[in-house]
Amino acid sequence: MRTFSTIIASSTPIGRYLISRLSLRRSHAISVKPQASTPPMAAADASNEESLRRTLAEKQSAVDAQGNAVRALKAAKASKPDIDAAIESLNRLKLEKSSVERELQSVVSGSGGGASVNREAFRQTVFNTLERRLFFIPSFKIYRGVAGLYDYGPPGCAVKSNVLAFWRQHFVLEEDMLEVDCPCVTPEAVLKASGHVEKFTDLMVKDEKMGTCYRADHLLKDFGNEKLEKDLSLSAEKAAELRHLLAVLDDLSAEELGAKIKEYGITAPDTKNPLSDPYPFNLMFQTSIGPSGLIPGYMRPETAQGIFVNFKDLYYYNGNKLPFAAAQIGQAFRNEISPRQGLLRVREFTLAEIEHFVDPQDKSHAKFSEVANLEFLMFPREEQMSGKSAKRIPLGEAVSKGIVNNETLGYFIGRVYLFLTCLGIDKERLRFRQHLANEMAHYAADCWDAEIECSYGWIECVGIADRSAYDLHAHTEKSGVALVAQEKFSEPREVEKLVIAPVKKELGLAFKGSQKNVVEALEAMNEKEAMEMKAALESKGEVEFYVCTLGKNVCIKKNMLLISKEKKKEHQRVFTPSVIEPSFGIGRIIYCLYEHSFYTRPSKAGDEQLNVFRFPPLVAPIKCTVFPLVQNQQYEEVAKVISKLLKVAGISHKIDITGLCSG
Ligand code: AMP
């Protein structure tokens, strides 16, 4: 889930919501935290590993000491029995050391040595089968292809279309969502407002001689994992240091990442050349709209912004009622720095996104009871922090105990679980992982990723986030169009309103060209800040006030503004809705589905291994095959009639007239 972590400029015009320093560290959609390749190491495993590393270090010292003793005996021409006894003792120590080494190896490589080798072999078999059967084709293959771009071939298209049809049925139809279809080419203004232009970046390093680019955090992650898995002589302290580094990788600044790369002597993986310092690289593909080249634009990195900018019309279409959800399926484009994980990290992919708009004061969900009894693997923040594993929690309990922030978020977690498992994702290899505090944007109330385990580890396939009112606020501010909802009161309500009235004449005299910044900052104060300023002005006559857009304090005097509270009758409440966003990476789900459906079996003759995808009918590209069991004209005619009937019924199939049932 991408992460906008921001520090709010409380004194900017849009007060709480606009960002003065927006540090969007794009989430590593394939999370670096608890994955199989970066084992989450339960507390018991970690302490076991630590004690094994210590024991191994002791055994190594004992072997070294005994080796020296044997050499000394030989040099002193000691008696043969003495030398033999010393050698025997050395061999015993070596055996003990090997046994500790084996134990350590099995702990560090997860479920026993060779696990990662098996995973890779399995992945290769699946990948080859998929490519051979044209589920996918590397794009522009005859021109040697382009990393991170893949075509779907005929069966791949059929699977994708089945997955999307089910997505529409399960979400759009079931929840009466309003589906939209917006352009991929997006003007800069939209993506500036959303923060993408400034901060949709990953930190990159370059091979200083060849110019090849790498993601800085990926290099460190690979280095750390390899050391932990392969270097058994690593001391317990160094191992703990590396584990810590892997856990905080997301939080490191460019400087910190650069320092670590230097400290560990990491070089370009392909050439071993030195690397540049890390610097941010914006992942959006830039373009210009129209022939003049004067209207800058980007290929959208997500579909969500198209929904946000249409909020006003959609709200009206929905009868000015909340809650409601809008949905969109479409292509997203991210110029990934060095896409390495096959079909999982690509540069153009299909996203299916839902933006469910709710009143921030009421995030209950009318249909929550329908999913409350579901029980599945959840990995709350607490469990991750204390080194525990994911555990089964009834969804109702997760919401009532506040583990999941609210019912609507919980409802969507439940619906996503049903969606994925109906498609054929293995329940045991699906978990919902809560974002840690350092992964979550400041404005987000809570975020959970549906992670599916495959040969690459635990992969984020669906992000489900309560993004509060951030996006609508940002577009309201930048477009000048109020993206708000109203609640009409049955009876007018008396409310006390804060009134901040800057005296522009006095402010103009005092601040001249900066007057606008000061006025906007004063007007953006919240009630607490305003009342504190009022008290200070009354007691001292003037007060220091920080104006973020000027980057300095200014002196506000009593005659420069009036702050009061007025009683008013209100007939309605106007507010910015919160949004709960499930965001589905369709390609990732499909790839995991391929792995979960794959198995091998011997052919009937027993002379070869067959690679098989056991798809549920819902996603199977071909639902059935018509076999005229005997090769003869009459049977073939009947097969054609059956085929015609199947076509009319919309059932994809093929006819096999070889007369042989394949086996
Ligand atoms: P994000 O907007 O980063 O939360 O991404 C939303 C979803 O898109 C993720 O949950 C992934 O499933 C998917 N996704 C993100 N980046 C990529 C990529 N480079 N290739 C394929 N899928 C991606």
Side-chain angles (χ1 to χ4, degrees), residues 535-591:
L537 287 176
E538 274 161 15
S539 63
K540 295 190 223 139
E542 61 180 46
V543 66
E544 287 283 293
F545 176 63
Y546 182 72
V547 179
C548 183
T549 49
L550 295 178
K552 63 174 185 183
N553 279 342
V554 298
C555 176
I556 302 293
K557 299 205 166 120
K558 200 175 171 181
N559 61 349
M560 292 180 184
L561 90 159
L562 298 167
I563 300 174
S564 59
K565 279 194 173 175
E566 285 178 9
K567 290 215 159 115
K568 275 188 174 176
K569 286 230 159 153
E570 278 194 347
H571 297 266
Q572 64 174 11
R573 179 171 74 95
V574 178
F575 60 93
T576 306
S578 281
V579 64
I580 285 149
E581 177 195 80
S583 172
F584 299 70
I586 296 298
R588 286 194 182 171
I589 295 171
I590 291 176
Y591 179 74

Side-chain angles (χ1 to χ4, degrees), residues 1-2 334 336 344 346 349 351 460-461 583 585 588:
M1 168 87 15
R2 65 200 176 285
R334 299 184 186 182
E336 297 287 349
L344 293 180
V346 290
F349 54 96
L351 270 179
E460 176 206 334
C461 290
S583 172
R588 286 194 182 171

Side-chain angles (χ1 to χ4, degrees), residues 80 87 108 151 172 192 201 203 240 246 253 308 323 346 353 374 386 410 469 476 486 493 548 652:
K80 188 168 181 304
I87 290 176
V108 293
D151 302 338
V172 180
K192 260 195 170 161
T201 56
L203 291 169
L246 291 175
S253 65
F308 296 134
V346 290
E353 295 192 288
L374 291 174
S386 53
T476 297
Q486 298 90 26
R493 290 184 194 168
C548 183
S652 59

Side-chain angles (χ1 to χ4, degrees), residues 91-211:
N91 288 341
R92 208 174 36 248
L93 284 169
K94 280 184 179 166
L95 275 178
E96 283 170 20
K97 188 189 126 197
S98 308
S99 140
V100 180
E101 255 171 4
R102 273 199 303 281
E103 215 179 320
L104 178 59
Q105 184 68 66
S106 100
V107 169
V108 293
S109 55
S111 52
S116 62
V117 177
N118 290 342
R119 273 203 302 266
E120 269 175 37
F122 172 77
R123 181 190 310 149
Q124 209 49 57
T125 313
V126 175
F127 210 77
N128 292 344
T129 312
L130 289 171
E131 195 172 350
R132 219 175 32 246
R133 295 297 179 136
L134 293 199
F135 277 84
F136 80 90
I137 307 161
S139 301
F140 318 111
K141 194 163 87 172
I142 62 167
Y143 291 98
R144 289 204 242 139
V146 178
L149 294 179
Y150 292 95
D151 302 338
Y152 282 73
C157 281
V159 169
K160 182 175 169 187
S161 131
N162 292 340
V163 168
L164 292 179
F166 182 54
W167 191 86
R168 283 200 168 91
Q169 184 197 326
H170 188 82
F171 291 106
V172 180
L173 200 73
E174 174 70 31
E175 313 292 342
D176 297 316
M177 291 177 180
L178 310 183
E179 188 174 351
V180 294
D181 187 355
C182 310
C184 297
V185 177
T186 309
E188 185 176 53
V190 173
L191 294 162
K192 260 195 170 161
S194 64
H196 286 88
V197 170
E198 206 186 336
K199 293 290 174 186
F200 195 63
T201 56
D202 275 340
L203 291 169
M204 179 163 93
V205 286
K206 259 192 182 163
D207 177 325
E208 283 192 335
K209 291 195 182 133
M210 305 304 290

Side-chain angles (χ1 to χ4, degrees), residues 207-343:
D207 177 325
E208 283 192 335
K209 291 195 182 133
M210 305 304 290
T212 318
C213 303
Y214 304 94
R215 244 176 86 165
D217 58 335
H218 280 179
L219 291 187
L220 265 172
K221 186 176 142 195
D222 290 348
F223 170 83
N225 281 330
E226 189 165 329
K227 267 263 178 236
L228 284 168
E229 213 170 297
K230 303 211 173 122
D231 186 353
L232 298 184
S233 65
L234 200 66
S235 71
E237 289 73 20
K238 279 270 171 235
E241 189 185 305
L242 273 177
R243 280 202 184 287
H244 175 72
L245 175 69
L246 291 175
V248 299
L249 217 46
D250 269 1
D251 289 344
L252 299 189
S253 65
E255 293 70 31
E256 287 163 333
L257 277 177
K260 284 287 165 201
I261 286 174
K262 284 211 167 68
E263 180 185 331
Y264 292 121
I266 299 173
T267 51
D270 307 314
T271 59
K272 307 290 167 236
N273 287 333
L275 293 164
S276 71
D277 287 333
Y279 59 96
F281 170 76
N282 194 303
L283 297 167
M284 288 193 295
F285 288 94
Q286 196 167 13
T287 183
S288 61
I289 306 171
S292 68
L294 297 175
I295 309 172
Y298 296 89
M299 303 304 288
R300 65 181 176 194
E302 58 177 25
T303 65
Q305 300 307 323
I307 297 180
F308 296 134
V309 298
N310 280 318
F311 173 79
K312 197 165 182 253
D313 289 336
L314 293 170
Y315 179 56
Y316 179 73
Y317 184 86
N318 199 52
N320 290 340
K321 284 201 188 73
L322 282 186
F324 78 91
Q328 173 159 211
I329 296 174
Q331 294 303 89
F333 304 81
R334 299 184 186 182
N335 200 2
E336 297 287 349
I337 293 173
S338 48
R340 308 175 297 174
Q341 281 157 309
L343 298 168

Side-chain angles (χ1 to χ4, degrees), residues 343-360:
L343 298 168
L344 293 180
R345 186 177 291 283
V346 290
R347 288 177 165 144
E348 178 179 342
F349 54 96
T350 304
L351 270 179
E353 295 192 288
I354 296 167
E355 307 300 329
H356 179 95
F357 298 101
V358 284
D359 183 339

